[in-house]
């Protein structure tokens, strides 16, 4: 129940508790006898090299450890109770020295007739299933006071590799049986619905001689099962009546175990690697039944406001994408250039738009619009800022991170709109109050709105400057050409100077930032770095700097209004109607 303590096993029944805080390790063996070189038949308890250790899913303070008997502790291994008789076949003929006649080899890897798997019920602390390395399935329904041998009838020699208890029905369990140590490579999966009184074999669709290591039941969708075999992974949408490959990009490798955690399918392999299928919600939402002619938007699982991070270390694993994973299916015959996906907040405002065909210069990438199944990841941000291409900023031009709350995903395709709810949740490790979250979101909105405005205003200044420059170049064709030329050049210089103050065009790489003066927009983007994604209260320093930048912007905006207003009007009057500079409207202007 407390992740501070970890339990690890070794051969001969060694079991230790590790304290993550003190870094101390202590032995909590039930019966600390030195079994090395001792024949198993002479030992009080027999343990498999990989003797199972597990806790009750109902009462996590209960720890189970399997030898030839089942042991139980409720005090972190301080004391143990034997809650079963010998649950194995106890074949004395198979319990002698491991390596005779040349050498004993009595380290413990050859100990036989032991418990290999323990499966406590997730619904009843008194129900426990166990499987042995000599092929028995045993179950107790009264906490170990009595046990029943419920091994499927007629099995060839083998061992019970894993037991999965149904998350939906009492009495239903799935057993994977393995005979490879007896040169039997056949897949063997058995299901019971009556606590083992009867069994059904479920291997249709699994390749012959592809021995099965483990089966897991989906905890969300009834009848969906996942299997790990000697060569990879399978899925069944019919409670094991038929299996099909779930290999995708998983290498051909033995899958030794499977776990379903937080909507992910986690795979361990014989190569000591972990693979994760990020987000199996489409499988839990009948993805296999979607027809080619059907458009479908799957309900995304909740997304958390956190960044998983990445690493370039050669031996490091890959984290899942940060953000909301969204799956959609495009129907055949759809115009692949006209698909659109929108993220809408609770007020109905669109906070992000993706399209299968983007406009030239769009900061957003195009999403797939071809027929079939697709996945995109919304990074939980608003639209990227329309920053000039080719420039470098000491801050991000990505949109700001949204706040937690309820959103909708809209898929617009062939005149039809599909919608699905999406919950964006706060990082559970974050301790911000609702007021602090709102302040952070509002601060970021203020900063990104102002940065966007600065980029637009710089573009407007450059547009007007280019018009003035063109008029000056042809001033000889106009009345009072000398005055037009000199006035236009001064105006052109003022426009260019103010544009450079807003956005520094010489910042084309990381070194330019420390050589050429920052533009005003750099100051705003730098401030954003102190807020965006910090998941901490907005600091006093940020508030003070924001107030100063707002005041600075007002002064610069007055200069710009004068340039694009009174000074351009005066210049146009000088042209006497023979030419004119047209000032682009600011966004939202009448």
């Amino acid at each position: 129940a407390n992740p501070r303590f970890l339990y690890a096993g070794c051969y001969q029944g060694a079991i230790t508790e590790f304290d993550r805080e003190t870094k101390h390790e202590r032995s909590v063996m039930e019966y600390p006898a030195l079994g090395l070189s001792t024949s198993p038949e002479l030992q009080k308890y027999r343990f498999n090299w990989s003797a199972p250790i597990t806790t009750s899913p109902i009462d996590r303070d209960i720890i189970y450890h399997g030898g030839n008997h089942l042991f139980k502790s409720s005090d972190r291994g301080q004391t143990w109770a034997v809650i079963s008789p010998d649950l194995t076949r106890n074949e004395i003929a198979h319990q002698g020295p491991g390596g005779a006649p040349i050498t004993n080899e009595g380290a413990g890897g050859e100990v036989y007739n032991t418990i290999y798997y323990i499966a406590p019920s997730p619904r009843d602390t008194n129900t426990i299933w166990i499987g042995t390395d000599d092929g028995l399935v045993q179950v107790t329904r009264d906490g170990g006071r009595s046990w029943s041998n419920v091994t499927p009838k007629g099995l060839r020699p083998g061992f019970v590799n894993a037991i999965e208890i149904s998350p939906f029905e009492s009495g239903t369990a799935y057993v994977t049986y393995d005979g490879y140590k007896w040169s039997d490579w056949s897949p063997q999966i058995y299901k019971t619905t009556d606590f083992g009184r009867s069994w059904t074999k479920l291997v249709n669709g699994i390749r012959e001689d592809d021995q099965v290591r483990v089966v897991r039941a989906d905890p969300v969708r009834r009848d969906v099962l996942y299997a790990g075999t000697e060569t990879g992974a399978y899925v069944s949408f019919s409670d094991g009546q038929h299996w099909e490959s779930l290999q995708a990009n998983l290498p051909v490798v033995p899958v030794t175990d499977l776990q379903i955690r937080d909507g992910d399918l986690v795979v361990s392999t014989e190569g000591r690697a972990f693979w994760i299928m990020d987000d199996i919600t489409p499988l839990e939402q009948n993805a296999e039944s979607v027809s080619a002619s059907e458009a479908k938007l799957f309900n995304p699982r909740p997304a958390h406001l956190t960044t998983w991070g990445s690493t370039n270390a050669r031996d490091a694993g890959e984290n899942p994408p940060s953000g909301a994973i969204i799956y959609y299916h495009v129907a055949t015959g759809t115009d692949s250039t006209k698909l659109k996906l929108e993220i809408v907040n609770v007020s109905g405002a669109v906070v992000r738009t993706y399209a299968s065909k983007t406009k030239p210069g769009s900061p957003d990438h195009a999403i797939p619009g071809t027929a079939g199944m697709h996945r995109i990841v919304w990074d939980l941000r608003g639209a990227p800022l329309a920053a000039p291409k080719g420039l470098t900023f000491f801050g991000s031009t990505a949109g700001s991170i949204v706040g937690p709350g309820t959103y909708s995903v809209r898929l617009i395709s062939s005149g039809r709109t599909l919608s699905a709810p999406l919950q964006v949740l706060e990082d559970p490790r974050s301790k911000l109050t609702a007021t602090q979250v709102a302040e952070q979101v509002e601060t970021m909105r203020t900063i990104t709105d102002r940065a966007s405005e600065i980029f637009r205003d710089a573009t407007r200044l450059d547009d007007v400057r280019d018009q003035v420059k063109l008029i000056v170049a042809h001033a000889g064709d106009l009345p009072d050409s000398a005055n037009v030329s000199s006035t236009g050049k001064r105006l052109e210089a003022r426009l260019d100077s103010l544009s450079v103050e807003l956005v520094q065009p010489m910042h084309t790489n990381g070194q330019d930032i420390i050589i050429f003066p920052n533009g005003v927009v750099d100051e705003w983007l730098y401030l954003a770095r102190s807020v965006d994604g910090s998941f901490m209260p907005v600091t006093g320093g940020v508030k003070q700097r924001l107030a100063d930048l707002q005041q600075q912007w007002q002064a610069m905006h007055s200069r710009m209004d004068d340039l694009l207003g009174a000074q351009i009007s005066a210049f146009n009057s000088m042209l006497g109607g023979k030419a004119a500079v047209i000032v682009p409207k600011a966004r939202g202007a009448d």
Side-chain angles (χ1 to χ4, degrees):
N2 185 348
R4 170 180 175 178
F5 302 106
L6 303 177
Y7 296 87
C10 194
Y11 44 73
Q12 302 288 5
I15 179 172
T16 56
E17 178 191 74
F18 178 70
D19 187 331
R20 295 174 62 241
E21 289 189 9
T22 65
K23 309 301 182 188
H24 292 164
E25 178 183 296
R26 68 182 183 117
S27 171
V28 291
M29 285 181 69
E30 297 90 340
Y31 187 72
L34 177 63
L36 297 176
S37 77
T38 304
S39 289
E41 78 274 12
L42 302 176
Q43 298 175 12
K44 183 172 184 177
Y45 302 117
R46 297 184 305 276
F47 289 88
N48 191 278
W49 182 290
S50 303
I53 305 167
T54 190
T55 62
S56 167
I58 299 174
D59 183 354
R60 299 301 303 279
D61 287 324
I62 297 176
I63 304 171
Y64 297 104
H65 189 205
N68 56 325
H69 300 264
L70 184 62
F71 299 89
K72 173 184 175 181
S73 176
S74 299
D75 55 11
R76 295 176 25 222
Q78 192 68 26
T79 59
W80 293 90
V82 180
I83 63 169
S84 80
D86 189 324
L87 294 174
T88 74
R89 298 183 189 273
N90 193 19
E91 302 160 296
I92 302 298
H94 295 295
Q95 296 174 18
I102 298 174
T103 178
N104 181 11
E105 187 58 36
E110 298 73 25
V111 177
Y112 188 57
N113 299 134
T114 63
I115 294 173
Y116 196 74
Y117 201 89
I118 307 170
S121 169
R123 286 179 290 273
D124 174 17
T125 55
N126 288 320
T127 299
I128 308 166
W129 298 74
I130 69 99
T132 69
D133 64 358
D134 52 17
L136 297 183
V137 180
Q138 308 263 21
V139 65
T140 180
R141 300 180 63 185
D142 56 13
R145 287 188 294 274
S146 63
W147 288 82
S148 299
N149 182 344
V150 295
T151 308
K153 300 293 188 275
L155 296 183
R156 297 188 292 271
F159 65 96
V160 178
N161 197 69
I163 302 173
E164 173 75 349
I165 300 174
S166 169
F168 300 103
E169 298 168 337
S170 297
T172 296
Y174 306 86
V175 168
T176 52
Y177 194 79
D178 203 332
Y180 83 89
K181 294 181 180 180
W182 292 263
S183 299
D184 180 3
W185 306 94
S186 63
Q188 298 187 69
I189 304 170
Y190 299 92
K191 175 190 175 183
T192 181
T193 58
D194 52 14
F195 290 98
R197 287 189 292 272
S198 62
W199 295 88
T200 303
K201 193 172 184 178
L202 304 171
V203 294
N204 181 34
I206 296 180
R207 185 175 53 80
E208 185 179 357
D209 292 340
D210 195 6
Q211 68 189 79
V212 182
R213 302 291 194 99
V214 62
V215 166
R216 297 295 179 206
D218 193 291
V220 174
R221 181 180 168 189
R222 185 187 295 268
D223 296 336
V224 173
L225 302 177
Y226 307 96
T229 72
E230 187 66 14
T231 64
Y234 289 79
V235 63
S236 173
F237 300 104
S238 56
D239 198 25
Q241 297 299 316
H242 177 74
W243 296 89
E244 54 190 278
S245 174
L246 192 64
Q247 199 70 6
N249 64 323
L250 182 69
V252 176
V253 63
V255 172
T256 57
D257 205 353
L258 297 167
Q259 293 288 329
I260 300 161
R261 295 295 174 91
D262 300 321
D264 293 337
L265 181 63
V266 185
V267 175
S268 67
T269 75
E270 195 73 63
R272 296 177 181 169
F274 289 103
W275 288 75
I276 299 177
M277 180 175 280
D278 297 318
D279 192 1
I280 57 174
T281 53
L283 299 179
E284 296 174 336
Q285 296 176 30
N286 304 88
E288 81 287 353
S289 64
V290 178
S291 68
S293 60
E294 179 184 359
K296 184 175 178 65
L297 176 63
F298 293 87
N299 290 340
R301 68 178 178 185
H304 285 86
L305 286 165
T306 192
T307 300
W308 300 116
S310 61
T311 176
N312 294 322
R314 185 185 66 179
D315 297 326
E318 179 185 2
N319 277 327
S322 300
I325 300 175
I326 300 168
Y327 289 92
Y328 61 94
H329 184 270
V330 180
T332 55
T334 300
D335 187 341
S336 63
T337 66
K338 294 184 178 179
L339 182 135
K340 188 162 63 171
L341 190 143
E342 297 175 335
I343 310 296
V344 184
N345 66 19
V346 71
S347 301
V350 176
V351 298
R352 191 69 176 270
T353 299
Y354 295 97
S356 56
K357 185 177 182 180
T358 59
K359 297 178 181 178
S362 172
D364 255 331
H365 62 275
I367 62 171
T370 54
M373 184 81 152
H374 299 288
R375 182 184 91 162
I376 71 163
V377 179
W378 174 40
D379 58 7
L380 305 183
R381 293 180 175 274
L385 280 61
K389 299 292 184 182
L391 297 186
T392 300
F393 303 94
F394 205 68
S396 174
T397 57
S400 60
I401 293 177
V402 301
T406 301
Y407 295 79
S408 294
V409 182
R410 288 201 301 230
L411 180 69
I412 303 168
S413 172
S414 299
R416 185 183 177 197
T417 300
L418 303 176
S419 183
L422 169 61
Q423 286 294 123
V424 175
L425 305 177
E426 193 172 357
D427 187 326
R429 299 166 299 181
S430 175
K431 304 303 179 184
L432 293 181
T433 66
T435 300
Q436 290 169 332
V437 169
E439 183 180 33
Q440 186 181 79
V441 170
E442 183 58 32
T443 299
M444 276 307 302
R445 182 181 296 117
T446 299
I447 294 173
T448 53
D449 284 353
R450 181 68 73 222
S452 292
E453 184 182 1
I454 293 171
F455 282 131
R456 289 193 302 270
D457 285 341
T459 300
R460 293 172 67 215
L461 288 167
D462 291 345
D463 182 291
V464 172
R465 177 203 61 204
D466 291 343
Q467 293 183 59
V468 173
K469 186 175 183 180
L470 185 62
I471 291 172
V472 169
H474 295 86
D477 301 329
L478 300 172
D480 197 9
S481 59
N483 196 20
V484 167
S485 178
S486 60
T487 302
K489 288 179 180 179
R490 288 193 300 272
L491 185 55
E492 178 187 334
R494 294 188 193 115
L495 290 163
D496 191 62
S497 175
L498 184 54
S499 175
V500 171
E501 283 188 59
L502 297 181
V503 180
Q504 174 57 263
M506 300 302 291
H507 283 179
T508 59
N509 58 61
Q511 288 300 307
D512 288 341
I513 294 175
I514 60 176
I515 297 173
F516 299 98
N518 293 317
V520 172
V521 75
D522 290 290
E523 297 290 350
W524 286 86
L525 296 178
Y526 183 71
L527 183 62
R529 292 178 52 162
S530 300
V531 183
D532 194 32
S534 68
F535 306 111
M536 293 292 287
V538 179
T539 68
V542 167
K543 296 176 185 178
Q544 182 60 57
R545 181 57 174 155
L546 179 60
D548 291 345
L549 286 177
Q550 291 280 42
Q551 187 175 0
Q552 177 197 53
W553 175 245
Q554 293 302 321
M556 295 199 71
H557 205 268
S558 296
R559 289 170 54 197
M560 185 171 61
D561 286 346
D562 178 58
L563 264 174
L564 298 181
Q567 294 191 43
I568 291 298
S569 294
F571 185 65
N572 281 338
S573 297
M574 182 183 297
L575 300 176
K578 300 295 183 180
V581 174
I582 300 174
V583 178
K585 290 182 178 179
R587 191 176 71 171
D590 294 333

